[in-house]
Amino acid sequence: MDDRNTEAEKLAIRCPGCGQRFKVGQELQDRMVECGTCEHRFRVNEDVVIRQKKFYPGERRDRGLEQFSRIPKGAGLDANFQTVQYAQEPLHVPVAGASPLRMMLGAGAVIAVALVLLLLAFGGRPGGVIDGATQDKRLMLAGFTAVIAWIFLMAANPAARLKATFGAIFCTALLIAFPFLFTEGNQPVAETGKLVVVPITHAGEEGKKGPDSFAELKQEIQYDPLEKEILRYASDPAMAGRSAAGLWLRGLEGFRRRQIEDYIMRSTGADPSSHMYPRNPDYLMVVSGISGDLGELARLCERFGEVKRVIDELRVIEVEVDNSSFDAGDLNKLSDRANPAFYELNRREIESIDLERARSGIGRLADVEPKLYRKDIVARMKQLLKEGDVAMQDQICRALMVWAEPGDGTEVAVRAAAAKLSPQAGEVPDSMMKFLALRKDLEAIPLADALWVADHNRWEEVYGSFGPAIEERVISHFEGSPPSMRRSATRLLGRVGSAASIPVLEAARSGADAELSVFIERSLTAIKGRR
């Protein structure tokens, strides 16, 4: 292969016949050659030699030449004047944004520290996440979070290690300080063990036991939260007649605790601050704001377990919880009306402290013939009227239309439940007033009248079911009432009115519109037809 020098010494020629270009050696000059393409023979002379014109930089405008650096004109030449001195180009620090991974690490460290600080500050309150966690466990949580934050901050700031170090030290100081600043709920949970038997005491036995007789019991159940509640109610004159009590729930499965809490609070009217504390393997529920002795509270506890002891000095009730009482029955048997155990199984369901089970049981019993356990089921429905919500009260009243008997006191329970609801807000279910109207409960007429005044179109039919006893109240609303209410009153008087309504209706003829006139004529005809 020829080197570059040999290549440069060759002649560039062009075939006169086909115009093909070739390169030949200097030794072929003025000699005959043959074209390899068209086989034309010609002599290598000035006619076929290709000459390229030489040029110097700047003579041609070629953008491809701009990529070459330019040496300042006159460089390297001696001059008799001061020349320009070019300084060394400074080093520039590269400017670039932080990577997404580093941003995520930094944000993760800050968020983790903030969450743990909030947990340490507020998680120790009753029912909190770390309620009952000891001080050393809280310090372990703070130390672990500090290590993770340190690693994340250093990884997120590789070019600013000093700044990351100061930030990590600040986070560590906060995390270590919070367990000492917020100590609520850091009492250790009681260890598993058997209770030393303590004799059962009641109010009549006061003075027989000294203040230290229950030291082991207090240690077993971690008595401090209950003692604080009792002292709080005793020291406040505004809370006279109210106090706190403790339920020591033995053998309670943890996931059942919410059902017991809801049941006790809705049955006793206890304060929402009532709380259940884990006492491994048991639980202590502090019931705040109750009145009366512990006997009533103990009877409520018999619904889900066996009351072992009532300790009046400590205001503690020990209950052995029956976890099987929370299990629902077989749905197939509960829904089979032909099953001989249908009534018994559904009676157990409505007696459950779980309102959802009771709601389902009432729905299955609502439209069946009351053959068995009628009194027991009706008594439980009256209790549920106090505990359930408006939807459940509506369902119960529909069932009571089938199950209730005259003289069983259901009218009083339904009327009391309806009186707690707002007539103006439309909270009273129709079934409540229909039941009271069916029983002709005269004491419920003021409530029915208030409902009719608030919404006469909705309650007209139910209000009229109370019979002639409402005539006097309807007449009192007749004058000065809006046209729509006057039309409703006219229809009611035509339904239940007597001779006392005739003068009122005849006086209303003058100035009445066409529609009201028709209603007045119909009502007068109905009243005169009953005379």
Side-chain angles (χ1 to χ4, degrees), residues 343-344 347 371-378 403:
Y343 290 92
E344 169 66 17
R347 180 181 68 85
K371 295 180 179 180
L372 300 174
Y373 306 107
R374 187 169 189 172
K375 292 184 178 180
D376 295 336
I377 291 175
V378 170
W403 283 83

Side-chain angles (χ1 to χ4, degrees), residues 477-516:
H477 295 301
F478 198 89
E479 294 296 332
S481 59
S484 60
M485 186 174 176
R486 182 172 294 190
R487 288 191 290 269
S488 177
T490 302
R491 291 190 294 266
L492 285 174
L493 293 177
R495 181 178 175 182
V496 302
S498 61
S501 301
I502 294 178
V504 177
L505 294 175
E506 289 180 345
R509 282 179 173 177
S510 59
D513 55 27
E515 185 178 6
L516 181 59

Side-chain angles (χ1 to χ4, degrees), residues 6 126 219 387 422:
T6 305
Q219 183 178 3
E387 302 177 17
S422 173

Side-chain angles (χ1 to χ4, degrees), residues 56-173:
Y56 297 93
E59 292 182 345
R60 293 186 180 180
R61 295 184 178 275
D62 188 356
R63 292 186 178 180
L65 299 176
E66 295 179 358
Q67 61 182 329
F68 299 103
S69 59
R70 301 189 179 189
I71 301 176
K73 188 175 182 181
L77 300 178
D78 295 334
N80 56 1
F81 54 86
Q82 182 68 34
T83 58
V84 176
Q85 301 294 327
Y86 294 94
Q88 185 177 4
E89 185 178 0
L91 296 176
H92 299 284
V93 178
V95 179
S99 66
L101 178 59
R102 292 177 181 174
M103 294 179 64
M104 292 174 60
L105 290 174
V110 174
I111 293 174
V113 171
L115 291 178
V116 174
L117 289 176
L118 291 174
L119 182 64
L120 293 173
F122 305 106
R125 295 181 177 181
V129 179
I130 60 174
D131 180 24
T134 57
Q135 187 77 343
D136 55 347
K137 292 182 179 179
R138 299 187 183 196
L139 289 173
M140 289 174 59
L141 174 62
F144 175 76
T145 307
V147 172
I148 296 300
W150 196 295
I151 295 174
F152 279 22
L153 289 174
M154 296 299 288
N157 298 274
R161 295 293 177 87
L162 185 60
K163 182 174 65 176
T165 301
F166 281 116
I169 293 175
F170 177 73
C171 293
T172 303

Side-chain angles (χ1 to χ4, degrees), residues 35 89 109 113 164 195 216 233 336 343 354 429 443 445 452 476 478 482 490 505:
C35 177
E89 185 178 0
V113 171
L195 173 69
E216 294 181 357
Y233 280 93
D336 186 7
Y343 290 92
D354 186 354
E443 295 185 24
I445 290 179
W452 175 70
S476 66
F478 198 89
T490 302
L505 294 175

Side-chain angles (χ1 to χ4, degrees), residues 323-345:
N323 291 285
S324 62
S325 63
F326 300 97
D327 297 331
D330 187 358
L331 184 59
N332 294 329
K333 295 181 180 180
L334 290 171
S335 304
D336 186 7
R337 301 183 180 183
N339 192 322
F342 172 79
Y343 290 92
E344 169 66 17
L345 294 176

Side-chain angles (χ1 to χ4, degrees), residues 26 28 36 52 75 92 114 124 144 182 188 220 226 233-234 237 250 252 255 277 290 310 327 373 417 428 461 477 505:
Q26 294 285 348
L28 295 179
Q52 294 183 350
H92 299 284
F144 175 76
F182 301 92
E220 176 74 14
L226 176 57
Y233 280 93
R250 307 297 300 273
L252 173 64
F255 62 94
Y277 297 87
I290 61 174
V310 178
D327 297 331
Y373 306 107
V428 181
E461 180 66 25
H477 295 301
L505 294 175

Side-chain angles (χ1 to χ4, degrees), residues 4 12 16 42 51 74 132 147 151 190 229 280 284 306 328 364 438 481 525 528:
R4 292 185 177 181
F42 61 92
R51 303 292 184 183
V147 172
I151 295 174
E229 280 294 287
N280 189 20
L284 173 66
E306 180 184 357
R364 289 187 290 266
L438 181 65
S481 59
T525 303
K528 292 177 182 179

